[in-house]
Amino acid sequence: MLNTDNPFDVNNRAYQRFLTLTSDHFEVVGWDNATTGRPTMILIDLGSRDAVSLALLDTAEDRRPQALLAATTTAALSLHGPIPGRAAAADYALHLAMHDADIAATTPVALHHPNQPHISPDEWLSIPAEIAAAARTSTLDSTAVALVLLDHDRSQLTVVGPLASISQAEAWQPAADGWPPVDRLLLAVQPPRTPDRIEPDPFRLRATARLVWPLLP
């Protein structure tokens, strides 16, 4: 009987790259284990014909919903997402910076699910004190909204969302135990622009190396 605990995702990007690299140097004989359903393979050296067998155990994916939080030169915040995975959210920073010359800083942020009232300590994101002090909202011009909880004293924030309406965002309350005093900011959740809709600006691209917060992880 097939054991489906911890299924192996054959679309995992590391696994796919592993297959590409190994096929360049080895003859690969592979099959799915009848009990676990996970890939098993034999790698045969093309020169010596020595072989080694591999049983692959599990996969892990960077696909937790994230958003890219951006601040302009006047500390107006904007939120772009959801984006599957922190690395993908960080990559989007370059596209956003090339499109909007007012962007001064960006950082990926995890999106706390509104159905979960408890926010763990590791969901708080540290930001520069000058941005925490001056942060302000921008126009709510999207159907999706996120709630930013901003702790000025500790220069940190966390983001809850997306929520379907402003009223839902205003009504959302966290579990109160151990919470610091926070300001509540509402931000529109802007869907990411596809790269082919953004015309790269080479001067803006060079300028991104000087941005803080940081633009890149």
Side-chain angles (χ1 to χ4, degrees):
M1 181 176 179
L2 184 65
N3 183 351
T4 58
D5 293 341
N6 302 316
F8 191 97
D9 183 359
V10 295
N11 295 316
N12 179 278
R13 289 159 289 190
Y15 174 64
Q16 290 297 321
R17 179 168 296 185
F18 172 76
L19 291 180
T20 299
L21 293 174
T22 53
S23 63
D24 291 339
H25 302 281
F26 298 92
E27 178 183 340
V28 181
V29 179
W31 65 95
D32 291 339
N33 185 288
T35 301
T36 66
R38 298 182 180 90
T40 302
M41 59 184 61
I42 295 176
L43 304 183
I44 304 171
D45 180 63
L46 297 177
S48 66
R49 307 307 294 176
D50 287 354
V52 60
S53 60
L54 298 179
L56 303 177
L57 299 179
D58 52 30
T59 55
E61 287 77 39
D62 175 26
R63 292 176 183 158
R64 181 181 177 186
Q66 301 265 328
L68 186 71
L69 183 64
T72 67
T73 53
T74 59
L77 301 182
S78 61
L79 195 67
H80 308 265
I83 300 173
R86 181 178 177 83
D91 288 344
Y92 183 67
L94 282 176
H95 298 298
L96 182 64
M98 287 188 293
H99 178 77
D100 188 345
D102 289 333
I103 296 296
T106 65
T107 185
V109 293
L111 293 173
H112 181 83
H113 198 288
N115 289 347
Q116 302 171 356
H118 177 72
I119 298 178
S120 63
D122 61 3
E123 292 183 86
W124 288 91
L125 175 72
S126 295
I127 62 174
E130 59 272 21
I131 293 180
R136 60 186 182 86
T137 60
S138 50
T139 304
L140 292 175
D141 55 358
S142 172
T143 56
V145 182
L147 172 64
V148 177
L149 301 174
L150 176 60
D151 178 359
H152 290 282
D153 292 340
R154 297 173 177 81
S155 298
Q156 60 182 8
L157 57 77
T158 190
V159 181
V160 181
L163 297 113
S165 67
I166 293 175
S167 59
Q168 286 186 12
E170 290 177 336
W172 192 89
Q173 294 293 333
D177 293 345
W179 266 72
V182 295
D183 282 348
R184 297 166 61 96
L185 306 178
L186 298 186
L187 294 181
V189 181
Q190 304 290 346
R193 295 172 176 265
T194 56
D196 59 355
R197 291 173 57 192
I198 300 175
E199 296 183 5
D201 179 345
F203 296 100
R204 181 63 181 162
L205 181 59
R206 287 197 293 271
T208 59
R210 298 191 294 273
L211 299 181
V212 295
W213 188 13
L215 179 67
L216 295 175

